[in-house]
Amino acid sequence: MKPGAPDRPLDPVARLGRICLALGASIVLYWLIWGRSRALPGPVAPDPEMFAAHAIARPEPAPAIVAAITARPLFLPERQAQDPAASGEAAAFVDAGPLSDARLVGIASESGGGIAIVSRGGTQFRVRQGEAVDGWTLESIRDNIAHFTRGDE
């Protein structure tokens, strides 16, 4: 300022600029003096126990429980396993011959018909609608019923 000139306050933009310059210079000075001497902490190694394999104990269900679960049809509560003694039709099927020990395990539908999953003699096999097994042909599949025929039977 010139001697004898009136004192005028700095405009706000110039004042803000000077404040930013002072803060920037102090940050750089702090970093030059104290910032370089501080070392960052090293990486932390994970706990090896976290990666150790642990044995999973999976109990085997009792055979009676498995038989009870597979005897009852799935998904619909009103569907119950049929009692062979109560139904004359079931008794006729027992005397039917080679499929007497067969058991319907599941049914799947697809665009070309359906598939019945049948268990017999400890093995499971799939029968498509229209295919024959030991002379028995899978004619139709509805809800929980697979209808097999052999001749007039």
Side-chain angles (χ1 to χ4, degrees):
M1 287 202 206
K2 295 182 186 177
D7 288 336
R8 280 184 310 162
L10 291 174
D11 67 293
V13 175
R15 185 180 296 168
L16 185 61
R18 287 183 182 179
I19 292 173
C20 287
L21 271 170
L23 283 175
S26 62
I27 290 173
V28 169
L29 185 62
Y30 176 81
W31 181 75
L32 287 174
I33 294 173
W34 292 288
R36 287 185 174 182
S37 63
R38 289 175 70 194
L40 295 175
V44 177
D47 183 17
E49 181 65 26
M50 187 171 79
F51 297 109
H54 299 285
I56 298 174
R58 188 175 122 188
E60 291 296 322
I65 294 174
V66 172
I69 291 171
T70 56
R72 189 177 50 204
L74 298 176
F75 305 119
L76 295 177
E78 67 269 12
R79 291 170 35 177
Q80 299 294 322
Q82 294 180 354
D83 184 16
S87 171
E89 181 180 320
F93 186 73
V94 170
D95 298 335
L99 286 182
S100 61
D101 64 337
R103 183 168 166 198
L104 183 64
V105 176
I107 294 176
S109 1
E110 57 182 17
S111 60
I115 297 174
I117 303 171
V118 179
S119 173
R120 191 173 98 197
T123 60
Q124 291 184 357
F125 53 94
R126 294 183 177 110
V127 182
R128 293 191 182 277
Q129 196 166 343
E131 287 184 349
V133 176
D134 293 334
W136 291 92
T137 305
L138 178 59
E139 290 294 325
S140 64
I141 296 176
R142 282 185 305 125
D143 298 332
N144 63 342
I145 300 170
H147 186 78
F148 287 88
T149 61
R150 179 175 68 181
D152 292 338
E153 299 178 65

